[in-house]
Amino acid sequence: MRMRLPLRCPMGEAEWAGRRGEVPPAGASARCRTTDRAVEGRGSRLLSFLLARSAAGGGTMAAEDGDGEGVRVLQNLRGKICEARNLVPYSGPNKMRDCFCTINLDQEEVFRTQVVEKSLSPFFGEEFYFEIPRTFQCLSFYIYDKSVLQRDLRIGKVAIKKEDLCKYTSKETWFLLQPVDSNSEVQGKVHLELKLNELITDNGSVCQQLVVHIKECHGLPLVNGQNCDPYATVSLMGPSRNDQKKTKVKKKTSNPQFNETFYFEVTRSSSYTKKSQFQVEEEDIEKLEVRIDLWNNGNLVQDVFLGEIKVPVKTLGNDSFQAWYLLQPRENGNKSSKTDDLGSLRLNVCYTEDYVLPSEYYVSLRNLLLKSPDVQPVSASAAYILGEVCRDKYDAVLPLVRLLLHHHKIVPFVTAVAELDLKDTQEVNTIFRGNTLATRCLDEMMKIVGKHYLKVTLKPVLDEICESPKPCEIDPIKLKEGDNVEIHKENLRYYVDKVFNTIVQSSISCPTLMCDVFYSLRHLAAKRFPNDPHVQYSAVSSFVFLRFFAVAVVSPHTFHLRPHHPDAQTSRTLTLISKTIQTLGSWGSLSKSKLSSFKETFMCEFFKTFQEEKFTEAVQKFLDEVSSTESKEPSGMSEPVHLKEGEMYKRAQGRTRIGKKNFKKRWFCLTSRELTYHKQRDKEPIYSIPIKHILTVEKLEESAFNRKNMFQVIYGEKPLYIQANNCVEASEWIEALCRVSRCNQRRLSVYHPSAFLNGNWLCCKATTENTKGCTPCTAGVPADIQIEIDGDRETERIYSLFAINMPKLQKMEEACGSIAVYQGPQKELDDYSNFTIEDSVATFQTLQQIIAIVEKLNEPHEKYRKKRSSSAKYGSEENPIVGKVS
């Protein structure tokens, strides 16, 4: 039994009627948007009864126990560094500053913006997205003043504790800059063992002795961007004593191993008569405390404070007490700086932490999502409902598109939701112009699938524009004195011609998946508007020109075509090029004048130079080719896929300097065929490793060369040792190299996690260099080198979104019941967004399945959280003691 709504209303009219609390008139169009306010429970209960009698049954999830084994904890961070304002002026005659911003995990820099020159309110506009491969305590954003001759000056920072990141998710926030000093930079933890011993003296009396064993520290801050030279002072503090001792200095490490023991006399026997300034009575133990201070040895400059902890002696007993402590700032701190005088920074930060269960837990949810393209109507599918209940569609689109791509379901789903969009499109000129689920899904799909397409098409010309920019300003208001507008027009015309010709000649490189989607859109549009011969072109051009190429031109950094947001002048040039390209695409597709699309008179005048038939013909030929299902020439697919490039350090192989193998900075480039390194970017490669020769890629222990973020590429007798600039970069390179070499036939099963130095392996102490590895290689990763997708993780993200939006799912369920029972939507104003419900029974059935699956998945998640919290004992390395122990 399938129930359909008898009341149908056009888009817009229904929303208007809903706001007024009226029922839309009967006989209105195909879809009705109803609010998610429930008409109490009667409709839902009756619809449940109707569904129980229907033949269609809901999906169930097999009962499984979540014991926490095999659970992966994955973190990622995305967002945008928007702008700063009211920064402290420079003290010299020129008050302006050259500013840039960095992102730091604790004190490790993982991202840097470009420098914005001569501004106290710099606009950065740079987006970021990366996986976080390690634990961290604090996410910090530093504003720097760039210096040519001296060290860059830190103006201020925004520090957000990991546990507070959820407060700012997916919303832009202004943060006041805080001062940067050693007290504000404290991080890390220290491992101590403390014990009170009772000693019997020669004359038989008893006294107490405090034993402090300082074992190690983890995660100490970097000092001036480098590993510190730490040492610790151990003090026994009281009202009338300050007994202090000091460890040895450990060189160039953030994880020093001290393993030093210190002894302090706490109380003396009553028969002890020698006078001393540290005469301590038994009752004074209540006032004594152990203080551990960590310092960076400054050699010729002042030592830098790294953090402290305090432990009251009264909490100790005769049994050994061993624990990890989180280092704290000084209690008095530095309170002289006025934080409101440093300026502010606008950020958009979204941090997610997913607990990814073993794959079998997601079978029911995954199957429900993957059958979405086949559900009739598609608005009753789980994938469509996900987009309905999420406040920000982007939250839903990102994991949904990746999951559908991973399982080869993206083309039928986009086709289905695009057809739904076209039902509401009344005019040809507005086709696919809104931010709907269909357009957002296609945008994200093009960004993922078309990454290499953009690089081979646009990157060379964009590099030319950004690295050797010519003046292109043609707005009379913005022209400076002495500017020649005719020369600027010639420059702009040169750039537009170059970008345009590159695009229209690139169809052979367009990914097959994009061509398949464009083919579907073209035929859907022609079917919806059979009397317009040009609509088939505008349907495709609205995506490939307006939402793909034009966006990539104006924001090349967003598509990883450039490392940073371009400077103001270059950004203006790219904007003018993008506007022209966008209109040329529209011009060709609609085959009529588009001068009215320009608001500026100067752009209309400039565009008149393109009113030639050859541009229309070139665009239409290109659109025909990219929306064809015919197979492409094999020559276009034979080019190597560019995967990753960047500057890192490599250890010299076989060459020595003063008897010690040295590290050199090199430019690395990874394609689907080879890994190469060069002296500088754009120079010929010094060395090349064919991908088919790579045996394994693994992390290298820090102790091997006393360097962080190292990994090794094993491809022959000797490994290539590489040091990345930060933990995120190291993780990305390892993942990319593993992915591209995963199918190699001779991959190793074991490896050495450290280096062969001074005649033995540091990890297993074997004395022969060709000894078989001592540690199993890490598990492989998905072999698809162009689309990096973890299907289980995307399904987990979707589960989290459904779980967060459970109240909306329940409201939508009630709305379906109300529609089916009362033969029409009950309109009430509320805080929830409108829902699209074409078939109330089918939608209700899907909602029931979603809710049941989410509730079932809640159980192993909750079980894992409890196990995780209970297993991390307070005082363990995973859960260190915070503050003074009482």
Side-chain angles (χ1 to χ4, degrees), residues 696-699 734 738 747-749 751 775-781:
T696 191
V697 182
E698 298 288 348
K699 290 182 179 179
I734 293 170
C738 285
R747 280 185 66 88
L748 298 179
S749 58
Y751 76 106
T775 303
C777 290
T778 53
V781 292

Side-chain angles (χ1 to χ4, degrees), residues 690-695 740-747:
I691 294 301
K692 62 183 180 181
H693 292 171
I694 295 178
L695 304 179
V740 75
S741 63
R742 182 173 181 257
C743 296
N744 289 355
Q745 294 182 353
R746 297 188 302 120
R747 280 185 66 88

Side-chain angles (χ1 to χ4, degrees), residues 603-720:
M603 284 301 295
C604 290
E605 293 299 319
F606 174 70
F607 194 74
K608 285 179 181 178
T609 62
F610 294 91
Q611 289 181 297
E612 301 177 32
E613 191 66 26
K614 66 177 183 180
F615 292 104
T616 300
E617 292 174 354
V619 169
Q620 291 191 349
K621 180 175 181 292
F622 170 73
L623 294 175
D624 280 331
E625 290 169 347
V626 297
S627 59
S628 169
T629 56
E630 295 178 5
S631 59
K632 302 287 188 298
E633 296 291 332
S635 59
M637 302 303 292
S638 63
E639 296 180 4
V641 179
H642 179 94
L643 299 174
K644 191 168 179 60
E645 62 181 352
E647 197 171 62
M648 296 186 290
Y649 293 85
K650 61 163 282 292
R651 187 171 185 256
Q653 301 181 87
R655 294 181 297 277
T656 62
R657 178 180 294 172
I658 319 178
K660 184 177 181 181
K661 291 189 178 180
N662 61 298
F663 284 80
K664 291 186 176 180
K665 186 184 291 186
R666 292 289 182 258
W667 185 266
F668 285 80
C669 183
L670 174 65
T671 72
S672 54
R673 289 183 184 170
E674 61 184 357
L675 171 68
T676 59
Y677 60 79
H678 317 241
K679 273 196 172 181
Q680 293 177 341
R681 187 178 185 178
D682 299 328
K683 297 292 185 182
E684 289 299 313
I686 301 173
Y687 195 76
S688 171
I689 303 174
I691 294 301
K692 62 183 180 181
H693 292 171
I694 295 178
L695 304 179
T696 191
V697 182
E698 298 288 348
K699 290 182 179 179
L700 189 71
E701 292 177 353
E702 181 183 340
S703 58
F705 300 106
N706 203 16
R707 287 172 177 253
K708 286 176 170 288
N709 306 316
M710 288 202 67
F711 61 96
Q712 53 184 318
V713 180
I714 303 175
Y715 63 97
E717 293 182 0
K718 293 185 178 181
L720 173 64

Side-chain angles (χ1 to χ4, degrees), residues 384-621:
Y384 194 92
I385 290 171
L386 178 67
E388 288 285 276
V389 298
C390 290
R391 181 182 294 273
D392 185 351
K393 272 190 169 57
Y394 183 80
D395 292 338
V397 164
L398 186 60
L400 180 61
V401 167
R402 293 171 72 86
L403 180 69
L404 294 174
L405 270 173
H406 187 61
H407 293 279
H408 312 292
K409 292 285 188 178
I410 190 66
V411 175
F413 180 73
V414 168
T415 301
V417 291
E419 187 174 14
L420 194 62
D421 268 10
L422 285 170
K423 288 181 181 179
D424 284 331
T425 305
Q426 305 302 320
E427 297 182 11
V428 172
N429 292 342
T430 61
I431 192 168
F432 298 129
R433 292 298 174 93
N435 280 321
T436 63
L437 182 63
T439 58
R440 295 297 293 270
C441 283
L442 195 42
D443 287 349
E444 191 60 36
M445 184 273 286
M446 290 190 298
K447 188 179 290 188
I448 297 171
V449 176
K451 184 188 297 184
H452 178 61
Y453 179 32
L454 284 175
K455 281 189 175 180
V456 299
T457 306
L458 289 182
K459 194 175 191 313
V461 65
L462 289 176
D463 285 343
E464 178 187 341
I465 295 170
C466 294
E467 292 170 10
S468 304
K470 299 177 181 180
C472 295
E473 185 55 73
I474 59 174
D475 184 352
I477 298 175
K478 296 183 178 181
L479 288 172
K480 299 176 183 177
E481 186 177 351
D483 285 349
N484 189 324
V485 69
E486 294 305 319
I487 293 178
H488 289 196
K489 284 183 179 178
E490 289 178 11
N491 293 339
L492 184 57
R493 175 63 190 253
Y494 167 77
Y495 284 149
V496 170
D497 280 340
K498 197 158 188 176
V499 172
F500 176 78
N501 290 328
T502 300
I503 290 173
V504 296
Q505 294 169 13
S506 69
S507 61
I508 196 170
S509 301
C510 186
T512 304
L513 202 59
M514 288 174 61
C515 293
D516 291 344
V517 173
F518 294 153
Y519 175 83
S520 297
L521 295 179
R522 180 174 180 171
H523 286 272
L524 286 174
K527 181 181 177 182
R528 175 68 178 86
F529 298 100
N531 298 323
D532 191 318
H534 304 296
V535 71
Q536 58 180 321
Y537 294 111
S538 58
V540 178
S541 70
S542 62
F543 284 103
V544 73
F545 277 101
L546 181 64
R547 293 176 174 269
F548 188 59
F549 283 121
V551 178
V553 168
V554 79
S555 302
H557 59 291
T558 304
F559 292 83
H560 306 289
L561 301 176
R562 295 291 300 167
H564 297 295
H565 189 282
D567 60 55
Q569 181 180 329
T570 307
S571 183
R572 174 63 177 166
T573 298
L574 294 175
T575 299
L576 295 173
I577 297 170
S578 178
K579 282 184 176 183
T580 312
I581 293 297
Q582 175 181 323
T583 309
L584 278 171
S586 254
W587 172 280
S589 63
L590 298 180
S591 190
K592 62 182 181 181
S593 175
K594 291 293 292 178
L595 295 179
S596 59
S597 67
F598 291 114
K599 297 178 182 178
E600 308 96 338
T601 305
F602 64 89
M603 284 301 295
C604 290
E605 293 299 319
F606 174 70
F607 194 74
K608 285 179 181 178
T609 62
F610 294 91
Q611 289 181 297
E612 301 177 32
E613 191 66 26
K614 66 177 183 180
F615 292 104
T616 300
E617 292 174 354
V619 169
Q620 291 191 349
K621 180 175 181 292

